[in-house]
Amino acid sequence: MEFDYVIVGAGSAGCVLAERLGRSGRARVLVLEAGGSDARFWIKVPLGYGFTFTDPRVNWRYSAQPDAGLDSRVAYWPRGRVIGGSGSINAMAYVRGLPHDFDDWERAGATGWNWDSTRAVFEQIECHRETGPDGRARVRGTGPMSVSDMAARMHPFSNRFLEAATDLDWPLTDDMNGSTPEGLSRYRSTVRNGIRCSPADAFLRPALKRGNLRVVKHALVERLLIADGRATGVRYRVGDRVTTVRARGEVIVSAGSVNSPQLLQLSGIGPGDLLRSQGIEVVRDLGQVGRGLQDHLAITHHFAASEPTLNNRLGHRPGQFMAGLQYLLTRKGPMSVPVNQVGGFIRSGEACAAPDMQVFCNPASYTIGASGKPTMDRTPGFILSVQPCRPTSRGEIRIASPDPREAPLIQPMSLSSDDDCAAAIRASRLLRSLAGTPTMRRVTRAARAPDISTMNDAEMLANFRAHSSTVFHPSCTCRMGRDTSDSVLDARLRVHGIRGLRVVDASSFPNITSGNINAPTMMLAMRAAELILQDASSNTRHNREP
């Protein structure tokens, strides 16, 4: 088989690439996805996030290595293994990030990825569904991805978080993706008419109608094929059947921040010493493949509430039944709203030049069972969570064996910089300040142990090490940069030294953005597709010249 473009991974980036690269109808595009169909009830239901969190049918269910910075704890790392990738199992928060994130990309060597360039691409992919001042629904933007204002469907307790922000003189903003991103607001979500709008829904399914796109599910890509310094195709397995496919144009790896570096390393592209130790022939010694891993860590505290929260309804079987019935009949009610309701970007001190913390506030509390699955508490409660926006620690992804079926080793290296330790303390102080506002004290019956209100700085850092967790934003493991000394890719997402091969997903970020990474991943893929088409057009013109 031969295609113009072979895309490895049908996640947030792969879906966008498939739609844009095949839009003309002339190019033949193949997408290979290791997982299966996303036609599952709990994927489509916005509150179904908790049911896919540990489901092996749609989730790689990775675990990181013991992390010295987090008291040698082993963190669970869910990653989507399904059509739509992690965009089919995430919490649906649509957050562009902050303008300086992308200016920093350019300063890191990703020329042309500054805020002025990327903002236009965000606008290209977005269709905002909002409620106007008159209470009427309105649509802004013509992009395929629905970004919905969920305010009218949120639990009334969410208003308490906004009131508490006012107690602290924190700014409020109508939309953290708008012209004033700083401040607390209600999260916008990738939801359309009460149903998750995943990248597969927004981009892949419309593209499949054209007939020049093929998607193969349950396809485990074992190796990239490289000949004379050029990517020529891939070898993949579906069950016991192994298939080789050729790419006339390019191979694009969009398998995510864990699986993309794994596949490059399995294909002989990566740190030479690592590859040789696993018996893999070195095709291209690129020391940065898998290195540079960044992720967001959040400290979360649970509180018992003196007012009704979502627990009053969803913590009990009758309430769950009625909420489910309401959703099935109307696509409304608590099941139609994602878990993240209120939050935003806040400065942890007056000396901060820009917001350095992201806040999450949810009108529900839960417990994590032995299986890792969250279970809603039966009594009213709420959650406050804060994550430092721009960590400086960098970890690593490395293969554990030459077998593509074996999970790679994930070493986050959390809190391995002094800056990150200081940020952890500032995040904890911010959470303590929010919990201590008159508004939150008025609606708090008790704080679940450990009680952050009595901690000094040293105790807060120890608490962060003992209880913080990833918020599932791994990035930067095949990052763009200046050259092989600091990166895997150039600013056009081409792998250094290998023609016809690009990596396009969150692993391509030069550094992590300030917030949730699904929106910037889709933006990156849309712009990457334009670069790929530009290069293809340029090559065609060059070949035609006498």
Coordinates of all heavy atoms in Angstrom, one line a residue, residues 168-238:
L168 N -10.5 38.1 47.5 CA -9.1 38.3 47.4 C -8.6 39.4 46.4 O -7.4 39.6 46.2 CB -8.4 37.0 47.0 CG -8.5 35.8 48.0 CD1 -8.1 34.5 47.3 CD2 -7.6 36.1 49.2
D169 N -9.6 40.1 45.9 CA -9.3 41.1 44.8 C -8.7 40.5 43.6 O -7.9 41.2 42.9 CB -8.4 42.2 45.4 CG -9.2 43.1 46.4 OD1 -10.4 43.2 46.3 OD2 -8.5 43.5 47.4
W170 N -8.9 39.2 43.4 CA -8.5 38.6 42.1 C -9.3 39.1 41.0 O -10.5 39.3 41.2 CB -8.6 37.1 42.2 CG -7.6 36.4 43.1 CD1 -6.6 37.0 43.8 CD2 -7.5 35.0 43.4 NE1 -5.9 36.0 44.5 CE2 -6.4 34.8 44.3 CE3 -8.3 33.9 43.0 CZ2 -6.1 33.6 44.8 CZ3 -7.9 32.7 43.5 CH2 -6.9 32.5 44.4
P171 N -8.8 39.3 39.8 CA -9.6 39.7 38.7 C -10.5 38.5 38.2 O -10.2 37.4 38.4 CB -8.6 40.0 37.6 CG -7.4 39.2 37.9 CD -7.3 39.1 39.4
L172 N -11.7 38.9 37.7 CA -12.6 38.0 37.1 C -12.6 38.2 35.6 O -12.4 39.4 35.1 CB -14.0 38.1 37.6 CG -14.2 37.9 39.1 CD1 -15.7 38.1 39.5 CD2 -13.7 36.5 39.5
T173 N -12.7 37.2 34.8 CA -12.7 37.4 33.3 C -13.9 36.5 32.8 O -14.2 35.5 33.3 CB -11.4 37.0 32.7 OG1 -11.5 37.2 31.3 CG2 -11.0 35.5 33.0
D174 N -14.5 37.0 31.7 CA -15.6 36.3 31.1 C -15.1 35.0 30.3 O -15.8 34.0 30.2 CB -16.3 37.2 30.1 CG -17.1 38.3 30.8 OD1 -17.5 38.0 31.9 OD2 -17.4 39.3 30.2
D175 N -13.8 35.1 29.8 CA -13.3 34.0 29.0 C -11.8 34.0 29.1 O -11.1 35.0 28.6 CB -13.8 34.2 27.5 CG -13.3 33.1 26.6 OD1 -12.7 32.1 27.1 OD2 -13.5 33.2 25.4
M176 N -11.2 33.0 29.6 CA -9.7 32.9 29.8 C -9.0 32.7 28.4 O -7.8 32.8 28.3 CB -9.4 31.8 30.8 CG -9.6 30.4 30.3 SD -9.2 29.2 31.6 CE -10.4 29.5 32.8
N177 N -9.8 32.5 27.4 CA -9.2 32.4 26.0 C -9.4 33.7 25.2 O -9.1 33.8 24.1 CB -9.9 31.3 25.2 CG -9.7 29.9 25.9 OD1 -8.6 29.5 26.2 ND2 -10.8 29.2 26.2
G178 N -9.9 34.7 25.9 CA -10.2 36.0 25.2 C -9.1 37.0 25.4 O -7.9 36.6 25.7
S179 N -9.4 38.2 25.2 CA -8.4 39.3 25.2 C -7.8 39.5 26.6 O -6.8 40.2 26.7 CB -9.0 40.6 24.6 OG -10.1 41.0 25.3
T180 N -8.6 39.1 27.6 CA -8.1 39.3 29.0 C -8.1 37.9 29.7 O -9.0 37.6 30.4 CB -9.0 40.3 29.8 OG1 -10.4 39.8 29.7 CG2 -8.9 41.7 29.2
P181 N -7.0 37.1 29.5 CA -7.0 35.8 30.0 C -6.8 35.6 31.5 O -7.1 34.6 32.1 CB -5.9 35.1 29.2 CG -5.0 36.2 28.8 CD -5.9 37.4 28.6
E182 N -6.3 36.7 32.1 CA -6.0 36.6 33.5 C -7.2 36.7 34.4 O -8.1 37.6 34.1 CB -5.0 37.7 33.9 CG -4.6 37.7 35.4 CD -3.5 38.7 35.7 OE1 -3.0 39.4 34.8 OE2 -3.2 38.8 36.9
G183 N -7.3 35.9 35.4 CA -8.4 35.9 36.3 C -9.2 34.6 36.4 O -9.0 33.7 35.6
L184 N -10.1 34.6 37.3 CA -11.0 33.4 37.4 C -12.2 33.6 36.6 O -12.7 34.7 36.4 CB -11.5 33.2 38.9 CG -10.9 31.9 39.6 CD1 -9.4 32.0 39.6 CD2 -11.5 31.8 41.0
S185 N -12.7 32.5 36.0 CA -13.9 32.4 35.2 C -14.4 31.0 35.2 O -13.9 30.1 35.8 CB -13.6 32.9 33.8 OG -12.7 32.0 33.1
R186 N -15.5 30.8 34.5 CA -16.0 29.5 34.2 C -15.3 28.9 33.0 O -15.2 29.5 32.0 CB -17.5 29.5 34.0 CG -18.3 30.0 35.3 CD -19.8 30.1 35.0 NE -20.5 30.4 36.2 CZ -20.8 31.6 36.7 NH1 -20.2 32.7 36.1 NH2 -21.4 31.8 37.8
Y187 N -14.9 27.7 33.2 CA -14.1 27.0 32.1 C -15.0 26.8 30.9 O -16.2 26.5 31.0 CB -13.6 25.7 32.5 CG -12.3 25.8 33.3 CD1 -12.2 25.6 34.6 CD2 -11.1 26.0 32.6 CE1 -11.1 25.7 35.3 CE2 -9.9 26.1 33.3 CZ -9.9 26.0 34.6 OH -8.7 26.1 35.3
R188 N -14.5 27.1 29.7 CA -15.1 26.7 28.4 C -14.7 25.3 28.1 O -13.5 24.9 28.3 CB -14.7 27.7 27.3 CG -14.9 29.2 27.6 CD -16.4 29.5 27.6 NE -16.7 30.9 28.0 CZ -16.9 31.8 27.1 NH1 -16.9 31.6 25.8 NH2 -17.2 33.1 27.6
S189 N -15.6 24.5 27.5 CA -15.3 23.1 27.3 C -15.6 22.7 25.8 O -16.5 23.3 25.2 CB -16.2 22.3 28.2 OG -15.9 22.6 29.6
T190 N -15.0 21.6 25.4 CA -15.2 21.1 24.1 C -16.4 20.2 24.1 O -16.3 18.9 24.1 CB -13.9 20.3 23.6 OG1 -13.5 19.4 24.6 CG2 -12.8 21.3 23.3
V191 N -17.6 20.8 24.2 CA -18.9 20.1 24.3 C -19.8 20.8 23.3 O -19.7 22.0 23.1 CB -19.5 20.3 25.7 CG1 -20.9 19.7 25.8 CG2 -18.6 19.6 26.7
R192 N -20.6 19.9 22.6 CA -21.5 20.4 21.6 C -22.9 19.8 21.9 O -23.1 18.6 21.9 CB -21.1 20.1 20.2 CG -22.0 20.6 19.1 CD -21.7 20.0 17.8 NE -20.4 20.3 17.3 CZ -19.6 19.5 16.5 NH1 -20.1 18.4 16.1 NH2 -18.4 19.9 16.2
N193 N -23.9 20.6 22.3 CA -25.2 20.2 22.6 C -25.3 19.0 23.6 O -26.0 18.0 23.5 CB -25.9 19.7 21.3 CG -26.0 20.8 20.2 OD1 -26.2 22.0 20.6 ND2 -25.9 20.4 19.0
G194 N -24.5 19.2 24.7 CA -24.5 18.3 25.8 C -23.7 17.0 25.5 O -23.7 16.1 26.4
I195 N -22.9 16.9 24.4 CA -22.1 15.8 24.1 C -20.6 16.2 23.9 O -20.4 17.3 23.3 CB -22.6 15.1 22.9 CG1 -24.1 14.6 23.1 CG2 -21.8 13.9 22.5 CD1 -24.8 14.1 21.8
R196 N -19.7 15.4 24.3 CA -18.3 15.7 24.1 C -18.1 15.9 22.6 O -18.5 15.2 21.7 CB -17.4 14.5 24.5 CG -15.9 14.7 24.2 CD -15.1 13.4 24.4 NE -15.0 13.0 25.7 CZ -14.0 13.4 26.6 NH1 -13.1 14.2 26.1 NH2 -14.0 12.9 27.8
C197 N -17.3 17.0 22.3 CA -16.9 17.2 20.9 C -15.4 17.0 20.9 O -14.6 17.8 21.2 CB -17.2 18.7 20.5 SG -16.7 19.0 18.8
S198 N -15.0 15.8 20.5 CA -13.6 15.4 20.5 C -13.0 15.8 19.2 O -13.7 16.2 18.3 CB -13.5 13.9 20.7 OG -13.8 13.2 19.5
P199 N -11.6 15.7 19.1 CA -11.0 16.0 17.8 C -11.5 15.1 16.7 O -11.5 15.4 15.6 CB -9.5 15.8 18.1 CG -9.4 16.1 19.6 CD -10.7 15.6 20.2
A200 N -11.8 13.8 17.1 CA -12.4 12.9 16.1 C -13.7 13.4 15.6 O -14.0 13.3 14.4 CB -12.5 11.5 16.7
D201 N -14.6 13.9 16.5 CA -15.9 14.5 16.1 C -15.7 15.7 15.2 O -16.4 15.9 14.2 CB -16.7 14.8 17.3 CG -17.0 13.6 18.2 OD1 -17.3 12.5 17.6 OD2 -16.9 13.7 19.4
A202 N -14.8 16.6 15.6 CA -14.7 17.9 14.9 C -13.9 17.8 13.6 O -14.3 18.5 12.7 CB -14.0 18.9 15.9
F203 N -12.9 16.9 13.5 CA -12.0 16.9 12.4 C -12.0 15.6 11.6 O -12.2 15.6 10.4 CB -10.6 17.2 12.8 CG -10.4 18.5 13.5 CD1 -10.4 18.7 14.8 CD2 -10.2 19.7 12.7 CE1 -10.3 20.0 15.4 CE2 -10.0 20.9 13.2 CZ -10.0 21.1 14.6
L204 N -11.9 14.5 12.3 CA -11.7 13.2 11.6 C -13.0 12.7 10.9 O -12.9 12.3 9.7 CB -11.2 12.1 12.6 CG -10.7 10.8 12.0 CD1 -9.5 11.1 11.2 CD2 -10.5 9.8 13.1
R205 N -14.1 12.7 11.5 CA -15.3 12.2 10.9 C -15.7 13.0 9.6 O -16.1 12.4 8.6 CB -16.5 12.2 11.9 CG -16.3 11.0 12.9 CD -17.5 10.6 13.6 NE -17.1 9.4 14.4 CZ -16.4 9.5 15.6 NH1 -16.1 10.7 16.1 NH2 -16.0 8.5 16.2
P206 N -15.7 14.4 9.7 CA -16.0 15.1 8.5 C -15.0 14.8 7.3 O -15.4 14.7 6.2 CB -15.8 16.6 8.9 CG -16.2 16.6 10.3 CD -15.6 15.3 10.9
A207 N -13.7 14.5 7.7 CA -12.7 14.2 6.7 C -13.0 12.9 6.0 O -12.7 12.6 4.9 CB -11.3 14.3 7.3
L208 N -13.5 11.9 6.8 CA -13.7 10.6 6.3 C -14.8 10.6 5.2 O -14.8 9.6 4.3 CB -14.2 9.6 7.4 CG -13.1 9.1 8.3 CD1 -13.7 8.5 9.6 CD2 -12.2 8.1 7.6
K209 N -15.6 11.6 5.1 CA -16.6 11.6 4.1 C -16.1 11.9 2.7 O -16.7 11.7 1.7 CB -17.7 12.7 4.4 CG -18.4 12.5 5.7 CD -19.3 13.7 6.0 CE -20.1 13.4 7.4 NZ -20.9 14.6 7.7
R210 N -14.8 12.3 2.6 CA -14.2 12.7 1.3 C -13.8 11.4 0.5 O -13.7 11.5 -0.7 CB -13.0 13.6 1.5 CG -13.3 14.9 2.1 CD -12.2 15.9 1.9 NE -12.3 17.0 2.9 CZ -11.6 17.1 4.0 NH1 -10.7 16.2 4.3 NH2 -11.8 18.1 4.8
G211 N -13.5 10.4 1.2 CA -13.1 9.2 0.5 C -11.6 9.0 0.2 O -11.1 7.9 -0.2
N212 N -10.8 10.0 0.5 CA -9.3 9.9 0.3 C -8.6 9.7 1.6 O -7.4 9.8 1.7 CB -8.8 11.2 -0.4 CG -9.0 12.4 0.4 OD1 -9.9 12.5 1.2 ND2 -8.1 13.4 0.3
L213 N -9.3 9.4 2.7 CA -8.7 9.2 4.0 C -9.1 7.8 4.5 O -10.3 7.3 4.4 CB -9.3 10.2 5.0 CG -9.0 9.9 6.5 CD1 -7.5 9.9 6.8 CD2 -9.7 10.9 7.4
R214 N -8.1 7.0 4.9 CA -8.3 5.7 5.5 C -7.8 5.7 6.9 O -6.7 6.2 7.2 CB -7.6 4.6 4.7 CG -7.9 3.2 5.2 CD -7.1 2.2 4.4 NE -7.4 0.8 5.0 CZ -6.7 -0.3 4.7 NH1 -5.8 -0.2 3.8 NH2 -7.0 -1.4 5.3
V215 N -8.6 5.1 7.8 CA -8.2 4.9 9.2 C -8.2 3.5 9.5 O -9.1 2.7 9.3 CB -9.2 5.7 10.2 CG1 -8.8 5.5 11.6 CG2 -9.3 7.2 9.9
V216 N -7.1 3.0 10.1 CA -6.9 1.6 10.5 C -6.9 1.6 12.0 O -6.0 2.2 12.6 CB -5.7 1.0 9.9 CG1 -5.6 -0.5 10.4 CG2 -5.7 1.0 8.4
K217 N -7.8 0.9 12.7 CA -7.9 0.8 14.1 C -7.1 -0.4 14.6 O -6.9 -1.3 13.8 CB -9.3 0.8 14.6 CG -10.1 2.0 14.3 CD -11.5 2.0 14.9 CE -12.4 1.0 14.3 NZ -12.9 1.4 12.9
H218 N -6.7 -0.4 15.9 CA -6.0 -1.5 16.5 C -4.7 -1.8 15.8 O -4.2 -2.9 15.8 CB -6.9 -2.7 16.6 CG -8.2 -2.6 17.3 ND1 -8.3 -2.3 18.6 CD2 -9.5 -2.5 16.8 CE1 -9.6 -2.2 18.9 NE2 -10.3 -2.3 17.8
A219 N -4.1 -0.7 15.3 CA -2.9 -0.8 14.5 C -1.7 -0.4 15.4 O -1.5 0.8 15.6 CB -2.9 0.0 13.2
L220 N -0.9 -1.3 15.8 CA 0.3 -1.0 16.6 C 1.5 -0.8 15.7 O 1.9 -1.8 15.1 CB 0.6 -2.1 17.6 CG 1.8 -1.8 18.5 CD1 1.6 -0.6 19.4 CD2 2.1 -3.1 19.3
V221 N 1.9 0.4 15.6 CA 3.1 0.7 14.7 C 4.3 0.2 15.4 O 4.7 0.7 16.5 CB 3.2 2.2 14.3 CG1 4.4 2.5 13.5 CG2 1.9 2.6 13.6
E222 N 5.0 -0.7 14.8 CA 6.2 -1.3 15.4 C 7.5 -0.5 15.0 O 8.4 -0.5 15.8 CB 6.4 -2.7 14.9 CG 5.2 -3.6 15.4 CD 5.4 -5.1 15.0 OE1 6.0 -5.3 13.9 OE2 4.9 -5.9 15.7
R223 N 7.5 0.1 13.8 CA 8.8 0.7 13.4 C 8.5 1.6 12.3 O 7.7 1.4 11.4 CB 9.8 -0.4 13.0 CG 11.2 0.1 12.6 CD 12.1 -1.1 12.3 NE 13.4 -0.6 12.0 CZ 14.4 -0.4 12.9 NH1 14.1 -0.6 14.2 NH2 15.6 0.1 12.5
L224 N 9.3 2.7 12.3 CA 9.3 3.6 11.1 C 10.4 3.0 10.1 O 11.4 2.5 10.6 CB 9.8 5.0 11.5 CG 8.9 5.7 12.6 CD1 9.6 7.0 13.0 CD2 7.5 5.9 12.1
L225 N 10.1 3.1 8.9 CA 11.0 2.6 7.9 C 11.9 3.8 7.3 O 11.3 4.8 6.8 CB 10.3 2.0 6.7 CG 9.3 0.8 7.1 CD1 8.6 0.3 5.9 CD2 10.1 -0.3 7.9
I226 N 13.2 3.6 7.4 CA 14.1 4.7 7.1 C 15.1 4.1 6.0 O 15.7 3.1 6.3 CB 14.9 5.2 8.2 CG1 14.0 5.5 9.5 CG2 15.7 6.5 7.8 CD1 13.1 6.7 9.3
A227 N 15.3 4.8 4.9 CA 16.2 4.4 3.9 C 17.0 5.6 3.4 O 16.4 6.6 3.0 CB 15.5 3.7 2.7
D228 N 18.3 5.5 3.4 CA 19.2 6.6 2.9 C 18.8 7.9 3.5 O 18.7 9.0 2.9 CB 19.1 6.7 1.4 CG 19.6 5.4 0.7 OD1 20.5 4.8 1.2 OD2 19.0 5.0 -0.3
G229 N 18.5 7.9 4.9 CA 18.2 9.1 5.6 C 16.9 9.7 5.3 O 16.6 10.9 5.7
R230 N 15.9 8.9 4.8 CA 14.6 9.4 4.5 C 13.6 8.4 5.1 O 13.7 7.2 4.9 CB 14.4 9.6 3.0 CG 13.0 10.1 2.7 CD 12.7 10.4 1.2 NE 11.4 10.9 1.0 CZ 11.1 12.2 1.1 NH1 12.1 13.1 1.4 NH2 9.9 12.7 1.0
A231 N 12.5 8.9 5.7 CA 11.4 8.0 6.1 C 10.6 7.6 4.9 O 10.1 8.5 4.2 CB 10.5 8.8 7.1
T232 N 10.4 6.4 4.7 CA 9.7 5.9 3.5 C 8.4 5.2 3.8 O 7.6 4.9 2.9 CB 10.6 4.9 2.8 OG1 10.9 3.7 3.6 CG2 11.9 5.5 2.3
G233 N 8.1 4.9 5.1 CA 6.9 4.3 5.5 C 6.9 3.7 6.9 O 7.8 4.2 7.7
V234 N 6.0 2.8 7.2 CA 6.0 2.3 8.6 C 5.6 0.8 8.5 O 5.0 0.3 7.5 CB 4.9 3.0 9.5 CG1 5.2 4.5 9.5 CG2 3.5 2.7 9.0
R235 N 5.9 0.1 9.5 CA 5.5 -1.3 9.7 C 4.6 -1.4 10.9 O 4.9 -0.9 11.9 CB 6.7 -2.2 9.9 CG 6.3 -3.7 9.9 CD 7.5 -4.6 10.2 NE 8.0 -4.4 11.6 CZ 9.2 -4.7 12.0 NH1 10.2 -4.9 11.1 NH2 9.5 -4.6 13.2
Y236 N 3.4 -1.9 10.7 CA 2.4 -2.0 11.8 C 1.8 -3.4 11.9 O 1.8 -4.2 10.9 CB 1.3 -0.9 11.7 CG 0.4 -1.1 10.5 CD1 -0.8 -1.7 10.7 CD2 0.6 -0.5 9.3 CE1 -1.8 -1.9 9.7 CE2 -0.3 -0.6 8.2 CZ -1.5 -1.3 8.4 OH -2.4 -1.4 7.4
R237 N 1.2 -3.6 13.0 CA 0.6 -4.9 13.3 C -0.9 -4.7 13.8 O -1.2 -3.9 14.6 CB 1.4 -5.6 14.4 CG 0.8 -7.0 14.8 CD 1.5 -7.6 16.0 NE 2.9 -7.8 15.7 CZ 3.3 -9.0 15.1 NH1 2.5 -10.0 14.9 NH2 4.6 -9.2 14.8
V238 N -1.8 -5.5 13.2 CA -3.1 -5.6 13.6 C -3.4 -7.1 14.0 O -3.4 -7.9 13.1 CB -4.2 -5.2 12.6 CG1 -5.6 -5.3 13.1 CG2 -3.9 -3.7 12.2

